[in-house]
């Protein structure tokens, strides 16, 4: 039994396998084929945070694969009616996979420790591995391959940025991040990735133009994520020099794409001109959450055979 808590749980070869399954299933989906590779399988969604893309993409992909899903809201009493250990051990007797979207990363770790079925991280304060898988798939889809590509992150050194750094190193993509002072990605992340791959191309800077130079993909996120609303005013001041606008996109490769994990705030981290412009792939990127999670679930639950 395998879990997907962070991208540390998968090797580069396994990431390639997931993306290969993703491509196969998306190609079939676009041709009108929804291959039922997980008939009778049941997925439980346990969310402590609001969600559109994560919830709908998981529910839709499991239905397409022939399985079922159920969303557990407040009535399930997660973290309230009984211990987390009891909740996880009982729930995992009834379902094949549990997706947890939690305020604290340790909660997902604890659910996995007490589950007899696979557990997937649907977002925590530390990591967002499903988003990163969909993002790398999107870049490959746009350019045909990932060889020689560079992804530039502009903004907060948050959970999405951290997972993207891991995903990029696993697939040989250069990763560069530009943050305001005080919002850097934990240096331990780069140190750990360089131990895993001494040839990894990783750069941290406070200059967005330096980060996007030569980039194939320019990526940003909201300046204040869920749970950081009280910091909104201060963050608007701190991140003022890190907006992705047409000028910054022009500093990247001429065919660079713009990416965002959504939801976005036009006029803050990105201008409407870029968000809605011809270089933006944000809608395709969001749709690929469903396709990448199909690939991940088929791999995780061992239904991929010789693919």
């Amino acid at each position: 039994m395998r879990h997907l808590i962070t991208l540390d749980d998968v090797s580069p070869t396994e990431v390639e396998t997931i993306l290969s399954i993703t491509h196969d299933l998306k190609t079939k989906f676009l041709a009108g084929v929804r291959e039922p590779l997980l008939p009778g399988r049941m997925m439980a969604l346990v969310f402590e945070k609001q969600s559109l893309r994560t919830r709908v993409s998981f529910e839709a992909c499991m239905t397409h694969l022939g399985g079922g899903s159920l969303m557990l809201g407040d009535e399930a009493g997660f973290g309230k009616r009984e211990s987390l250990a009891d909740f996880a051990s009982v729930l995992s007797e009834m379902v094949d996979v549990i997706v947890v979207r939690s305020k604290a990363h340790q909660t997902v770790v604890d659910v996995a420790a007490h589950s007899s079925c696979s557990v997937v991280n649907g977002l925590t304060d530390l990591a967002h591995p499903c988003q990163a898988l969909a993002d790398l798939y999107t870049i490959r889809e746009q350019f045909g391959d990932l060889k020689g590509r560079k992804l530039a992150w502009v903004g907060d050194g948050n959970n999405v940025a951290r997972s993207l750094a891991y995903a990029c190193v696993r697939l040989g993509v250069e990763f560069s991040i530009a943050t305001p002072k005080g919002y850097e990605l934990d240096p331990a992340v780069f140190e750990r990735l360089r131990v895993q791959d001494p040839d990894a191309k990783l750069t941290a800077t406070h200059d967005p133009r330096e980060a996007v130079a030569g980039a194939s993909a320019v990526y940003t996120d909201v300046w204040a994520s869920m749970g950081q609303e009280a910091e909104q005013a201060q963050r608007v001041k701190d991140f003022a020099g890190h907006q992705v606008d047409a000028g910054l996109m022009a500093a990247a490769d001429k065919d660079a794409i713009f990416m965002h994990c959504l939801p976005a705030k036009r006029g803050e981290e990105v201008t409407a001109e870029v968000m809605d412009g011809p270089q933006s792939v944000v809608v395709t990127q969001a749709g690929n959450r469903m396709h990448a999670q199909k690939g991940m679930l088929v791999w995780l639950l061992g239904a991929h055979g010789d693919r």
Side-chain angles (χ1 to χ4, degrees):
M1 181 187 64
R2 300 285 297 273
H3 301 301
L4 184 66
I5 308 301
T6 72
L7 290 177
D8 271 342
D9 295 330
V10 288
S11 69
T13 299
E14 289 171 331
V15 173
E16 289 285 0
T17 298
I18 292 170
L19 298 189
S20 177
I21 300 169
T22 298
H23 180 69
D24 177 47
L25 295 180
K26 180 172 181 178
T27 300
K28 291 175 178 173
F29 176 81
L30 294 176
V33 178
R34 300 182 180 185
E35 197 171 3
L37 296 174
L38 298 175
R41 302 293 187 98
M42 180 58 72
M43 174 177 64
L45 301 168
V46 184
F47 284 16
E48 291 182 322
K49 286 189 169 184
Q50 292 179 321
S51 173
L52 171 64
R53 280 153 291 278
T54 300
R55 175 178 178 175
V56 176
S57 60
F58 266 113
E59 292 205 45
C61 76
M62 190 52 125
T63 298
H64 293 170
L65 291 168
S69 64
L70 53 98
M71 183 75 186
L72 299 180
D74 285 344
E75 74 281 359
F78 181 60
K80 298 175 182 175
R81 295 180 61 228
E82 55 192 321
S83 73
L84 187 148
D86 288 349
F87 184 98
S89 59
V90 170
L91 180 60
S92 61
E93 288 289 310
M94 305 172 189
V95 303
D96 300 285
V97 58
I98 302 171
V99 180
V100 183
R101 183 176 173 90
S102 177
K103 297 175 182 176
H105 186 76
Q106 188 61 40
T107 299
V108 182
V109 174
D110 291 343
V111 170
H114 296 285
S115 295
S116 57
C117 72
S118 293
V119 173
V120 173
N121 180 350
L123 177 143
T124 67
D125 56 334
L126 185 74
H128 201 355
C130 296
Q131 179 72 57
L133 289 173
D135 295 340
L136 268 292
Y137 176 76
T138 301
I139 297 172
R140 175 178 282 176
E141 184 179 52
Q142 293 292 320
F143 294 105
D145 61 46
L146 293 171
K147 186 177 181 180
R149 298 297 170 187
K150 174 183 177 182
L151 187 157
W153 176 275
V154 180
D156 194 8
N158 61 14
N159 50 354
V160 180
R162 188 178 295 107
S163 291
L164 278 172
Y166 275 84
C168 285
V169 168
R170 273 158 174 70
L171 295 179
V173 175
E174 183 177 353
F175 179 80
S176 183
I177 180 170
T179 65
K181 292 181 178 178
Y183 297 93
E184 298 87 352
L185 196 63
D186 184 354
V189 172
F190 278 12
E191 292 172 12
R192 185 171 182 175
L193 290 172
R194 288 192 174 107
V195 169
Q196 293 179 4
D197 183 355
D199 296 326
K201 294 182 178 179
L202 301 164
T203 306
T205 177
H206 298 300
D207 182 351
R209 286 185 173 270
E210 178 184 342
V212 306
S216 301
V218 178
Y219 200 130
T220 191
D221 192 3
V222 290
W223 291 340
S225 299
M226 282 185 290
Q228 297 172 332
E229 290 81 2
E231 304 171 20
Q232 175 70 22
Q234 184 60 50
R235 283 176 172 258
V236 168
K237 295 179 182 177
D238 295 342
F239 284 79
H242 286 70
Q243 183 186 69
V244 178
D245 58 16
L248 189 62
M249 287 300 298
D253 275 357
K254 62 179 182 181
D255 61 346
I257 57 175
F258 170 72
M259 305 180 74
H260 195 303
C261 51
L262 303 180
K265 291 188 176 179
R266 292 168 175 78
E268 288 194 7
E269 76 274 7
V270 59
T271 62
E273 179 183 12
V274 171
M275 180 74 181
D276 303 319
Q279 292 174 280
S280 176
V281 298
V282 297
V283 175
T284 298
Q285 178 188 0
N288 280 339
R289 288 289 307 278
M290 181 182 75
H291 300 294
Q293 285 156 201
K294 273 187 187 177
M296 182 274 295
L297 286 174
V298 168
W299 168 79
L300 188 67
L301 299 181
H304 53 297
D306 296 328
R307 292 164 193 262

